[in-house]
Amino acid sequence: MKKSFLIVGLGRFGACVAKTLAQMNCDVLAIDIDEESVAAIANDVTHAIVADSTKMDILNSLGTKNIDHAIIAIGNNLQASILTVVNLRKLGVKMITVRADTVEYKELFSLIGANEIIIPEEESAILLANQVRSDSILDYYIISDNNVMVKISVGVDLKKKTIIDLDIRNRFSVNIVGIIRDNKFFIPHATDTLLIGDIAVVVGLKNDINKFDNFLNN
């Protein structure tokens, strides 16, 4: 069954999220008070509607109470974001993600019922810093405040030892959840080995990931 998403606010960030979800075969209801913004995305999502998310009756008429996940991407309008979160909570939407402009608003949105608060500029900066810190870290995904998933290229010859022989989980407190070899992804067994040129998909705490990266690449 397709997941359904409500995207509120169709600036560059909101429009990009809406289009990406639609491309992933999700049902996307995208709304904004600006007609031009709605028209620009109308052909890319399931439904695009000019609507004011601060009005409870409007959200209710759109059937938003049946949405699986709402993403509030209004930006630069704290009052509208707050009212939208409150309205969606009252309507029973279980998962609400909010875009915040500053870290000071994180606690506020959490207190009024948002499940997840993101600061795009801050997260982009963190991702960039972690990627450029090490030439071997190819991708970096934030899972929670302290946990990340990364793709690390393997630069040392470890083929003489299996993953269980390396005792990676106990030594580094990280988990290898996948290996990409010759552009093919597979979930490794404990008896598999890591080869030079492999890309290890690893989950763990940030500091532990950095230590494991150093191990894989001296």
Side-chain angles (χ1 to χ4, degrees):
M1 185 176 180
K2 290 183 182 180
K3 287 193 68 175
S4 57
F5 291 86
L6 168 68
I7 311 299
V8 182
L10 300 176
R12 284 190 296 177
F13 177 77
C16 183
V17 173
K19 290 178 182 179
T20 302
L21 287 170
Q23 290 168 0
M24 298 169 69
N25 201 34
C26 297
D27 284 325
V28 177
L29 168 60
I31 69 173
D32 198 296
I33 59 173
D34 181 69
E35 292 184 12
E36 290 186 3
S37 297
V38 173
I41 202 174
N43 294 327
D44 299 308
V45 299
T46 314
H47 303 286
I49 299 173
V50 178
D52 185 352
S53 62
T54 67
K55 308 297 184 184
M56 172 75 81
D57 57 336
I58 292 177
L59 288 177
N60 190 37
S61 69
L62 293 174
T64 54
K65 63 182 180 181
N66 299 315
I67 291 290
D68 294 318
H69 192 148
I71 299 173
I72 316 305
I74 297 173
N76 299 319
N77 191 331
L78 178 61
Q79 182 177 354
S81 295
I82 290 173
L83 288 173
T84 301
V85 172
V86 171
N87 287 341
L88 291 172
R89 268 287 170 238
K90 288 181 178 179
L91 288 169
V93 177
K94 294 181 180 180
M95 187 66 190
I96 301 174
T97 297
V98 185
R99 171 190 172 176
D101 291 322
T102 66
V103 68
E104 287 77 16
Y105 295 151
K106 275 192 170 183
E107 184 176 359
L108 170 61
F109 282 124
S110 180
L111 287 172
I112 63 174
N115 304 92
E116 182 181 26
I117 302 93
I118 60 173
I119 303 176
E121 291 80 3
E122 179 184 81
E123 296 197 2
S124 295
I126 292 171
L127 294 177
L128 176 61
N130 280 280
Q131 285 181 305
V132 299
R133 181 197 66 80
S134 170
D135 292 336
S136 55
I137 292 183
L138 307 178
D139 277 308
Y140 189 99
Y141 308 94
I142 298 172
I143 299 175
S144 65
D145 287 342
N146 294 312
N147 289 278
V148 296
M149 177 184 292
V150 302
K151 292 179 181 178
I152 307 175
S153 63
V154 179
V156 296
D157 187 358
L158 300 171
K159 64 183 179 182
K160 294 181 180 179
K161 289 189 175 182
T162 64
I163 291 175
I164 195 169
D165 290 335
L166 293 170
D167 199 21
I168 291 169
R169 183 178 297 179
N170 290 323
R171 290 174 63 190
F172 301 99
S173 299
V174 301
N175 288 304
I176 298 178
V177 296
I179 294 175
I180 301 172
R181 180 175 297 161
D182 298 326
N183 294 319
K184 295 180 180 180
F185 174 88
F186 65 93
I187 298 173
H189 299 289
T191 53
D192 286 327
T193 57
L194 289 169
L195 309 179
I196 293 178
D198 282 352
I199 297 173
V201 183
V202 185
V203 175
L205 296 174
K206 296 174 184 177
N207 289 337
D208 295 330
I209 291 286
N210 292 335
K211 293 175 183 177
F212 186 55
D213 175 32
N214 291 333
F215 168 72
L216 290 181
N217 295 282
N218 291 324

